[in-house]
Amino acid sequence: MASFFDIRARQAAAAATASSSKQQTPTQDNRLQPWVEKYRPKSLDDVTAQDHTVTVLRRTLQSANLPHMLFYGPPGTGKTSTVLALAKQLYGPELIKSRVLELNASDERGISIVREKVKDFARMQLSNPPAGPAGEEYRKKYPCPPYKIIVLDEADSMTQDAQSALRRTMETYSKITRFCLICNYVTRIIDPLASRCSKFRFKSLDEVNAGKRLQDIAKLENVPLEDGVVDTLLRCSEGDLRKAITFLQSAARLVGVVQAAPAADKKRKRAKIDDDEDEDVMDVDQPSSSNLVTVRSIEDIAGVIPTNTIDNLLTAMQPSSKGTVYGRVSKAVEDLVAEGWSATQIVTQMYEEIVIKDDTTGDWQKARIVLCFSDVDKRLVDGSDEHLTILDLCLQVAGILGER
Amino acid sequence: MALLVDKHRPRTLETLTYHSDLSARLRSLAASGDFPHLLIYGPSGAGKKTRITATLRALYGPGVEKIKIDSRVFQTSSNRKLEFNIVSSNYHLEITPSDVGNYDRVVVQDLLKEVAQTQQVDLSAKQRFKVVVINEADHLTRDAQAALRRTMEKYSPNLRLILLANSTSNIIAPIRSRCLLVRVAAPTEEDIAGVLARVGKKEGYKSCEPLERRIAKDSGRNLRRALLMFEAVHAQNDNVTEKTQIPPPDWEALIEVIAKEMIEERSPQRILQVRAKLYDLLTHCIPATTILKTLTFKLMPKVDDALKSDIVKWSAFYEHRIRMGSKVIFHLEAFVAKFMRLYEGNLMGMDMDFDD
Ligand SMILES: Nc1ncnc2c1ncn2[C@@H]1O[C@H](COP(=O)(O)OP(=O)(O)OP(=O)(O)O)[C@@H](O)[C@H]1O
Ligand SMILES: Nc1ncnc2c1ncn2[C@@H]1O[C@H](COP(=O)(O)OP(=O)(O)OP(=O)(O)O)[C@@H](O)[C@H]1O
Ligand SMILES: [Mg+2]
Ligand SMILES: [Mg+2]
């Protein structure tokens, strides 16, 4: 049996596919791509809901100047997509390889790499756009400004030392090189670096824009949605569009709508989101209601605990005459844990019900209850045992509720 | 002789018992061609691994069951050499990065890139991508998780990950955002009793439904545990009946003794005696968390209701310390002492919990 890592076997395999892989229909690959990649913004115009950032960056397309940049914000809000789109629009397909270096947390980025790889790239001569009339055409499409871009994605996982080493590099080569740092937690970027960059905050996607995007994708993929599905997607994904798109695709796969392969002439349109898709939708077989993506299926995929399960737990925590509080609560928690619900999800939904929604509980009680939540959150992140931790939380809260 | 737990493991999605909805979902995912990255989570012994192995078979056919184990050496940036075991077939590989502790990032970085950049060896493979199964993903360090992020996006045409975890709490948000989360609930007691009956029949055991139900109940909805207990009962008794004793594992019996001792007498000497037993458990590789949790739940039926919530509070408190600290015995012993004080206080009608 050929080994996974056997170089020769691999090369042979590679050689064998090399000729055929050219012909491999890209359209088929496209259809089988995860939607998050398929609908990754291809240009700045496709980036949703980050208006401020997009406006500023679009200006740089004209002015040919760019500061060092720091993009920060929660997962799935378009940071990586934006910088990739910007790079594409600035340099076009010919130059992007030689002008843009992307390093992310999956690359070795210790201090020595920053010293060497980044520095080497930073000081390299600028590559030239194609010459002649073709080049002129090219330049009309892509401004090709006279600097390179180094993208350090997921920069918050770089060590402090490695970040420090960047400072000098940034200054020394600033004539021909711009840096773009991307992170989730801006506080993990050392101050001397952060202060050298223009900061762009990526907001959690607001409901209107994210909803529109999801609706567009559903339409392009011919996925019929039950009423309220988009709202549920938005609620369950907490402003993370990648998550929302993943949920949508999973739900679609599960009801089997994805298999409806589009006819050849529709493919090209599909690659791009545009509005005049109605006719396409019309001539596809009317989806039967069994193919409908439902609210419950989305919640299921998102790991949301059903309302009645949470209600059971809350009821068990209320003082009552039936059995002891410990007896009821410990049973309810045991079941939740055996069902595999994630502790963070349990905590989130409990918080929602007890602290936010319930207004029969007094403020003084709530003030003490939130202290318990704070403790528990920290412990879970530290990797404490979920069963004990959740049981503790529920008993403490039940104790406080029982005091009235 | 293979153990029951291995011998009768279902190998295809079609033959998996219980959670048939979930099996159907996995089947439709495997058939869809755009299989996503998966994060499979659920309690121990719920059948996560079994389901995933069956899913891989649905993806690639029986060839995926021809596995071998390689040992590979990785070099850390400080030039340390790490030996690491990889289970692989032509189509997938399986790793347990937590084996190398804090060096897991190196392994994840190197290995995944390598996999992502290689072609499928088998040209007639049913999928273009290869699958990497990561066991105990909830034990990955933050660094290692960060190293997965862009890899999961960039190499998605060639590579899919299946992360297995008991819980999602320790998986960072950017990773969760890149996976389809699949929850595997523990089988119900009826489900377990059903599996035992079926396995018993194949083994030619005498069927005894009440005993099977009792095992299912005692197993705490852990199927692996139930199967082990089932095998033990039948190994020790030629003729099982409704009343046959189900022997608890040695370590559990010892914890029961500790619980009894703590209730009987609360004194410094008693703490010393208990300490010896705790050491005994630890030297037999029973995890400190398991000891503390089992002890707590064994104490519960023996104490006054008024005390229960405080005992849980301190148990959870010291369990957290066990995670964060370095000497587990300190925290186990502290719990024992704390318990004794609470118990005494309650007897004397005082609230002794003034460390609050
Ligand atoms: N603002 C946006 N407009 C359009 N699509 C978006 C936007 N944000 C996220 N998406 C969708 O989510 C996917 C992931 O986005 P992206 O990789 O840019 O996130 P990110 O901010 O870099 O997240 P992370 O912090 O996890 O790296 C994209 O492929 C796209 O499908
Ligand atoms: N659907 C099933 N039908 C019958 N037996 C099963 C089924 N699923 C799992 N088992 C049995 O249950 C035992 C535990 O399963 P498995 O190893 O898959 O659990 P797990 O969820 O991976 O546990 P852990 O988290 O502890 O690794 C195995 O011995 C297997 O034979
Ligand atoms: Mg990103
Ligand atoms: Mg397992």
Side-chain angles (χ1 to χ4, degrees):
Chain A
M1 181 171 94
S3 160
F4 212 96
F5 292 108
D6 180 335
I7 303 281
R8 245 169 300 145
R10 230 191 297 145
Q11 281 168 342
T17 42
S19 49
S20 62
S21 70
K22 281 256 161 56
Q23 271 105 325
Q24 242 179 13
T25 46
T27 39
Q28 190 198 349
D29 283 346
N30 202 24
R31 190 168 65 84
L32 295 182
Q33 244 181 345
W35 293 354
V36 279
E37 291 304 328
K38 187 165 170 186
Y39 297 103
R40 191 183 277 285
K42 311 230 161 17
S43 75
L44 288 178
D45 297 332
D46 291 341
V47 175
T48 318
Q50 309 294 355
D51 297 341
H52 172 69
T53 307
V54 169
T55 317
V56 175
L57 291 179
R58 211 179 274 133
R59 233 175 274 146
T60 67
L61 286 178
Q62 269 105 50
S63 76
N65 204 2
L66 196 72
H68 295 306
M69 295 175 294
L70 173 58
F71 290 2
Y72 66 100
T77 49
K79 301 179 296 298
T80 304
S81 310
T82 302
V83 79
L84 293 180
L86 177 69
K88 240 179 250 159
Q89 282 177 280
L90 281 175
Y91 302 113
E94 304 268 330
L95 277 187
I96 193 159
K97 284 244 163 58
S98 57
R99 292 287 190 93
V100 180
L101 173 69
E102 185 201 341
L103 289 175
N104 56 66
S106 62
D107 301 301
E108 188 54 65
R109 283 192 308 194
I111 182 157
S112 54
I113 297 289
V114 168
R115 287 232 173 88
E116 282 154 36
K117 209 164 168 182
V118 172
K119 218 163 163 181
D120 284 351
F121 186 83
R123 79 171 148 220
M124 214 168 57
Q125 284 292 321
L126 288 177
S127 57
N128 288 318
E136 236 155 73
E137 269 302 294
Y138 193 83
R139 263 179 226 255
K140 257 187 215 145
K141 274 207 242 144
Y142 309 105
C144 303
Y147 48 78
K148 288 161 290 181
I149 298 184
I150 298 182
V151 179
L152 293 170
D153 204 346
E154 294 145 17
D156 34 8
S157 63
M158 287 174 77
T159 63
Q160 302 248 327
D161 285 350
Q163 292 189 32
S164 291
L166 267 182
R167 294 195 299 193
R168 281 290 304 282
T169 321
M170 255 168 123
E171 267 166 12
T172 316
Y173 303 102
S174 66
K175 270 225 175 73
I176 51 167
T177 306
R178 298 291 181 277
F179 280 82
C180 178
L181 305 180
I182 305 183
C183 65
N184 294 122
Y185 311 100
V186 73
T187 48
R188 302 230 180 112
I189 304 296
I190 61 171
D191 221 36
L193 266 195
S195 62
R196 283 171 167 78
C197 301
S198 298
K199 298 195 192 62
F200 294 92
R201 187 166 83 89
F202 282 66
K203 298 165 292 181
S204 277
L205 291 206
D206 68 81
E207 310 223 321
V208 180
N209 286 304
K212 172 92 173 49
R213 184 87 181 171
L214 289 169
Q215 232 135 22
D216 287 347
I217 293 177
K219 206 161 161 199
L220 289 176
E221 296 287 342
N222 279 320
V223 185
L225 305 179
E226 189 185 78
D227 276 352
V229 163
V230 171
D231 288 336
T232 312
L233 280 171
L234 294 171
R235 182 162 48 79
C236 296
S237 56
E238 298 160 329
D240 177 341
L241 191 53
R242 169 170 40 225
K243 223 173 177 176
I245 296 175
T246 307
F247 290 160
L248 178 62
Q249 185 175 18
S250 307
R253 262 185 291 236
L254 296 179
V255 294
V257 252
V258 178
Q259 286 318 65
D265 59 335
K266 289 176 195 158
K267 276 179 199 154
R268 209 155 304 113
K269 271 189 184 170
R270 248 155 243 283
K272 200 169 157 284
I273 296 196
D274 50 24
D275 285 331
D276 53 13
E277 283 279 311
D278 293 13
E279 356 149 324
D280 283 8
V281 182
M282 298 302 283
D283 60 28
V284 169
D285 291 338
Q286 274 303 316
S288 63
S289 58
S290 66
N291 279 353
L292 207 60
V293 170
T294 61
V295 168
R296 185 56 219 154
S297 72
I298 299 285
E299 288 185 338
D300 213 30
I301 287 166
V304 175
I305 308 170
T307 326
N308 58 349
T309 310
I310 285 288
D311 284 348
N312 277 345
L313 179 66
L314 297 177
T315 317
M317 286 162 57
Q318 294 297 336
S320 93
S321 51
K322 252 202 277 149
T324 64
V325 173
Y326 177 81
R328 290 191 310 260
V329 170
S330 62
K331 178 77 180 91
V333 170
E334 202 179 296
D335 287 345
L336 274 180
V337 171
E339 287 299 311
W341 298 111
S342 108
T344 28
Q345 186 68 34
I346 300 176
V347 172
T348 311
Q349 288 187 243
M350 270 179 69
Y351 186 86
E352 181 88 356
E353 296 296 330
I354 297 174
V355 181
I356 312 276
K357 285 194 193 152
D358 179 8
D359 34 47
T360 58
T361 308
D363 288 349
W364 177 239
Q365 282 169 312
K366 280 191 184 173
R368 289 169 54 214
I369 288 174
V370 294
L371 292 180
C372 304
F373 277 100
S374 154
D375 259 349
V376 160
D377 178 65
K378 163 78 174 124
R379 285 184 191 169
L380 289 176
V381 170
D382 287 341
S384 282
D385 183 78
E386 303 203 337
H387 188 168
L388 268 182
T389 310
I390 297 293
L391 180 58
D392 181 29
L393 173 69
C394 294
L395 288 174
Q396 302 295 328
V397 173
I400 296 171
L401 292 176
E403 277 169 13
R404 46 184 122 197
Chain B
M1 191 189 76
L3 289 170
L4 284 194
V5 285
D6 297 323
K7 208 164 153 191
H8 301 289
R9 191 190 282 272
R11 283 158 54 187
T12 60
L13 287 173
E14 286 70 29
T15 52
L16 280 178
T17 52
Y18 69 87
H19 300 340
S20 49
D21 280 4
L22 180 53
S23 305
R25 278 170 64 180
L26 290 170
R27 199 172 314 130
S28 90
L29 284 180
S32 70
D34 58 353
F35 196 74
H37 299 298
L38 294 181
L39 169 53
I40 313 278
Y41 66 102
S44 186
K48 299 181 291 299
K49 191 55 171 294
T50 308
R51 244 155 240 274
I52 283 318
T53 314
T55 308
L56 286 172
R57 196 178 140 126
L59 277 171
Y60 296 108
V64 82
E65 290 174 340
K66 275 196 229 134
I67 57 166
K68 64 193 178 70
I69 302 177
D70 295 305
S71 177
R72 289 245 314 205
V73 176
F74 290 87
Q75 193 142 23
T76 69
S77 49
S78 54
N79 281 333
R80 242 188 78 153
K81 289 210 160 65
L82 297 172
E83 210 179 290
F84 185 72
N85 284 332
I86 299 170
V87 177
S88 66
S89 75
N90 262 347
Y91 313 99
H92 87 293
L93 69 164
E94 185 185 324
I95 54 177
T96 312
S98 56
D99 284 353
V100 290
N102 284 331
Y103 294 104
D104 56 355
R105 193 202 48 165
V106 186
V107 172
V108 165
Q109 251 169 6
D110 288 9
L111 201 61
L112 291 194
K113 272 214 185 135
E114 193 176 321
V115 176
Q117 285 161 3
T118 58
Q119 302 268 342
Q120 198 65 276
V121 174
D122 175 1
L123 296 180
S124 56
K126 288 210 291 191
Q127 315 292 340
R128 177 170 161 204
F129 56 83
K130 283 159 292 185
V131 170
V132 175
V133 178
I134 300 187
N135 290 318
E136 300 179 21
D138 41 353
H139 294 290
L140 285 172
T141 59
R142 299 283 141 124
D143 270 0
Q145 294 188 38
L148 289 177
R149 295 169 49 169
R150 192 75 184 113
T151 310
M152 290 170 80
E153 295 177 345
K154 218 168 157 175
Y155 300 116
S156 70
N158 281 343
L159 174 70
R160 294 291 189 284
L161 296 187
I162 299 182
L163 309 175
L164 292 170
N166 283 129
S167 127
T168 57
S169 301
N170 286 323
I171 310 273
I172 60 174
I175 298 291
R176 273 184 274 150
S177 145
R178 286 162 170 80
C179 295
L180 172 60
L181 272 63
V182 178
R183 179 175 60 91
V184 182
T188 61
E189 287 171 16
E190 293 90 279
D191 292 337
I192 294 185
V195 171
L196 295 183
R198 193 183 292 226
V199 166
K201 197 162 162 208
K202 282 196 200 142
E203 284 292 310
Y205 292 163
K206 179 187 156 202
S207 124
C208 178
E209 215 190 296
L211 178 72
E212 282 146 21
R213 273 208 304 275
R214 202 143 47 86
I215 293 178
K217 190 161 175 0
D218 282 7
S219 72
R221 293 176 67 180
N222 180 331
L223 182 51
R224 180 182 307 107
R225 212 159 148 204
L227 284 165
L228 290 171
M229 286 158 74
F230 188 55
E231 187 166 27
V233 166
H234 281 279
Q236 287 166 18
N237 304 280
D238 284 335
N239 193 10
V240 295
T241 68
E242 210 168 305
K243 298 208 182 60
T244 305
Q245 288 267 334
I246 308 166
D250 295 345
W251 60 271
E252 221 184 295
L254 187 55
I255 294 179
E256 177 66 38
V257 174
I258 296 178
K260 281 209 183 92
E261 289 184 348
M262 285 165 64
I263 299 281
E264 261 164 33
E265 183 187 323
R266 285 84 47 198
S267 68
Q269 296 88 312
R270 211 13 91 87
I271 298 185
L272 279 183
Q273 286 165 0
V274 166
R275 175 198 291 162
K277 296 198 171 70
L278 291 174
Y279 263 123
D280 203 15
L281 288 164
L282 289 172
T283 48
H284 284 88
C285 293
I286 309 298
T289 292
T290 311
I291 299 176
L292 182 57
K293 222 170 125 178
T294 314
L295 181 57
T296 306
F297 289 122
K298 291 212 180 283
L299 286 168
M300 281 307 160
K302 306 182 189 349
V303 302
D304 201 70
D305 274 337
L307 273 178
K308 287 180 174 161
S309 119
D310 271 346
I311 294 172
V312 170
K313 171 171 146 191
W314 289 103
S315 172
F317 177 86
Y318 287 113
E319 200 276 330
H320 182 225
R321 289 244 167 133
I322 285 173
R323 292 283 159 176
M324 305 311 288
S326 59
K327 288 275 185 211
V328 297
I329 188 73
F330 291 176
H331 309 296
L332 289 175
E333 219 174 19
F335 172 73
V336 173
K338 190 82 203 176
F339 172 84
M340 289 184 176
R341 206 162 121 200
L342 289 169
Y343 197 89
E344 284 289 313
N346 188 52
L347 283 185
M348 295 191 288
M350 288 194 293
D351 186 1
M352 297 289 277
D353 191 18
F354 38 63
D355 285 6
D356 206 353

